[in-house]
C-alpha cells in the first residue's frame, strides 16, 4: 500500500514537472511572438546598423545607401529574423527551464544553476539558429542582390557548399556569443528583478527594467562578436577566412580602433534592450499567472 502511494506521488511529480516544462516553452514562444512586433518596426534600424557593421560607415551614409536602394528592398532579409525571434524564445526559455530542473536535482543554489542551464540553452540556440543568421546576413548585403536575387537562390547556393563555408559560417563566434549571453541573461535576470521589487518596483516594471539592464550588460562586451559574425557571413563567394583571419582583417579595416569597431553599436544595443525588456516582462507575467 505504502509502495503504491509512493509510486503515485512520483507519477504526480513527473506529470507536474512535464506540465511546467511545457509551459516554459509556451510562455517563451508567446512572449517572443508578441515582441516580434518590435522586430518589424525596428528592422530598418537593424539594417542600418548591419551596413555600419559591414562597411564602417556613418549613420547618414548607411541611411543614404538604404534610401538609394528604395522602399522595396528595405525589408529584404526580414523573414529570417522574424522566424528566429518567434522560435528563439520557445527554445531558449523552454530549454533553459528543462536544463534547470535537471540541475536543481544535483545543486541547491538556483543562481549558478540558472546560469549553467542558460549556457546549455545558448549552445543549442547557436546550433539551431546559425543557418537563419547566415541567410539573413546574405540577404541584407546589397552586393548579393544581383547574383542572389531571391531567398531560394541563396538557400540553393549555401546548400551547395560545405557546412563550414555554407550555412554554418561563423559558427564558433556565434556559439561563444550565444552561450555567454544566455548564461549571463538567466543568471542575472531573477536577482535583478528581485532587487528592483525590493526597492518598490511593480512586478511588471521590475521584469522590464531587469530585461533592459541585462541586455545592456550582455550587449556591450559581446557586440564585437556580432560585428565579426556579420562580416564573416555577409559574403558567399570570395573565399571564407577562418575566425582568426577574419578578425585580423576586420581589426585592420577598423584601423585598430575600438571606437570604429563599435560604430552602430548604440543603435543595436538600444534595440536589443527594448526587445528583451518587453520579452522578459511578458514571460515573467505569463509565468506568474500560470502558478
Amino acid at each position: 500500500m505504502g509502495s503504491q502511494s509512493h509510486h503515485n506521488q512520483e507519477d504526480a511529480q513527473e506529470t507536474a514537472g512535464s506540465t511546467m516544462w511545457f509551459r516554459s516553452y509556451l510562455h517563451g514562444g508567446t512572449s517572443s511572438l508578441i515582441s516580434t512586433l518590435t522586430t518589424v518596426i525596428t528592422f530598418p534600424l537593424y539594417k542600418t546598423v548591419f551596413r555600419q557593421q559591414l562597411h564602417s560607415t556613418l549613420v547618414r551614409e548607411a541611411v543614404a545607401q538604404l534610401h538609394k536602394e528604395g522602399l522595396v528592398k528595405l525589408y529584404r532579409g526580414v523573414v529570417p529574423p522574424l522566424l528566429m525571434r518567434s522560435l528563439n524564445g520557445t527554445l531558449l526559455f523552454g530549454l533553459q527551464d528543462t536544463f534547470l530542473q535537471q540541475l536543481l536535482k544535483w545543486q541547491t543554489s538556483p543562481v549558478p544553476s540558472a546560469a549553467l542551464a542558460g549556457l546549455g540553452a545558448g549552445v543549442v540556440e547557436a546550433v539551431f539558429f546559425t543557418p537563419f543568421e547566415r541567410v539573413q546576413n546574405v540577404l541584407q548585403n546589397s552586393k548579393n542582390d544581383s547574383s542572389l536575387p531571391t531567398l531560394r537562390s541563396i538557400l540553393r547556393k549555401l546548400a551547395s557548399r560545405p557546412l563550414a563555408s555554407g550555412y554554418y559560417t561563423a559558427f564558433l563566434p556565434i556559439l561563444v556569443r550565444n552561450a555567454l549571453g544566455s548564461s549571463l541573461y538567466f543568471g542575472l535576470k531573477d536577482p535583478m528583478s528581485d532587487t528592483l521589487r525590493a526597492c518598490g518596483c511593480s512586478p511588471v516594471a521590475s521584469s522590464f527594467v531587469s530585461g533592459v539592464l541585462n541586455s545592456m550588460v550582455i550587449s556591450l562586451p559581446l557586440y564585437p562578436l556580432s560585428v565579426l559574425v556579420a562580416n564573416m557571413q555577409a559574403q558567399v563567394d570570395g573565399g571564407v577566412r577562418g575566425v582568426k583571419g577574419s578578425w585580423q582583417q576586420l581589426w585592420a579595416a577598423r584601423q585598430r580602433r575600438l571606437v570604429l569597431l563599435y560604430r552602430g553599436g548604440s543603435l543595436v544595443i538600444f534595440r536589443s534592450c527594448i526587445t528583451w525588456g518587453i520579452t522578459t516582462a511578458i514571460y515573467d507575467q505569463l509565468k506568474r499567472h500560470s502558478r
Side-chain angles (χ1 to χ4, degrees):
M1 190 75 176
S3 177
Q4 181 66 35
S5 175
H6 178 69
H7 285 304
N8 289 339
Q9 288 179 356
E10 286 185 342
D11 291 340
Q13 288 176 352
E14 288 180 3
T15 302
S18 300
T19 303
M20 183 171 58
W21 293 345
F22 171 75
R23 286 176 178 173
S24 296
Y25 286 95
L26 180 63
H27 295 163
T30 303
S31 60
S32 294
L33 184 62
I34 295 172
S35 68
T36 54
L37 180 61
T38 63
T39 302
V40 175
I41 294 172
T42 61
F43 186 73
L45 175 65
Y46 181 88
K47 200 163 185 178
T48 302
V49 171
F50 174 80
R51 294 296 173 85
Q52 290 187 277
Q53 291 176 340
L54 196 61
H55 306 300
S56 188
T57 58
L58 298 172
V59 174
R60 63 175 180 271
E61 294 171 336
V63 170
Q65 285 181 8
L66 296 176
H67 183 266
K68 185 178 180 181
E69 291 168 16
L71 189 62
V72 175
K73 289 187 177 180
L74 183 61
Y75 275 85
R76 175 179 160 93
V78 73
V79 174
L82 282 178
L83 290 174
M84 283 175 63
R85 190 70 200 154
S86 301
L87 296 172
N88 178 266
T90 304
L91 283 180
L92 191 63
F93 286 98
L95 285 171
Q96 192 272 343
D97 195 58
T98 300
F99 292 153
L100 179 61
Q101 298 309 316
Q102 296 300 314
L103 286 170
L104 287 177
K105 294 179 181 179
W106 306 97
Q107 299 184 31
T108 56
S109 179
V111 175
S113 297
L116 189 57
L119 183 72
V123 170
V124 177
E125 180 191 28
V127 173
F128 191 83
F129 288 111
T130 295
F132 286 85
E133 194 164 352
R134 170 65 155 150
V135 173
Q136 177 187 346
N137 285 329
V138 173
L139 278 168
Q140 291 182 144
N141 185 5
S142 60
K143 293 182 178 179
N144 298 319
D145 289 356
S146 58
S147 60
L148 299 167
T150 64
L151 177 60
R152 179 178 294 182
S153 65
I154 292 172
L155 295 177
R156 189 182 300 116
K157 182 71 172 180
L158 293 177
S160 68
R161 302 177 68 91
L163 285 177
S165 59
Y167 283 115
Y168 278 87
T169 298
F171 175 69
L172 184 57
I174 290 174
L175 178 66
V176 172
R177 183 196 64 190
N178 289 15
L180 287 178
S182 297
S183 180
L184 287 170
Y185 174 78
F186 287 107
L188 296 174
K189 181 174 77 73
D190 288 341
M192 278 187 179
S193 184
D194 292 342
T195 301
L196 289 165
R197 290 186 68 179
C199 293
C201 290
S202 68
V204 174
S206 63
S207 294
F208 177 78
V209 175
S210 172
V212 169
L213 294 177
N214 216 339
S215 180
M216 188 177 297
V217 168
I218 294 166
S219 298
L220 279 172
L222 296 182
Y223 180 75
L225 285 177
S226 294
V227 179
L228 176 62
V229 169
N231 279 269
M232 290 182 70
Q233 291 191 333
Q235 305 293 336
V236 178
D237 294 312
V240 179
R241 296 170 177 262
V243 175
K244 183 178 179 180
S246 297
W247 173 256
Q248 290 173 340
Q249 184 182 43
L250 174 64
W251 188 235
R254 297 299 187 269
Q255 302 172 33
R256 302 182 182 277
R257 294 172 59 189
L258 199 60
V259 66
L260 293 180
L261 189 63
Y262 271 86
R263 180 167 281 174
S266 58
L267 294 175
V268 76
I269 290 170
F270 173 76
R271 173 183 176 273
S272 177
C273 287
I274 298 301
T275 300
W276 278 105
I278 293 171
T279 301
T280 304
I282 295 172
Y283 176 79
D284 286 350
Q285 188 72 357
L286 290 170
K287 193 174 181 179
R288 280 190 288 268
H289 281 297
S290 69
R291 287 172 180 171

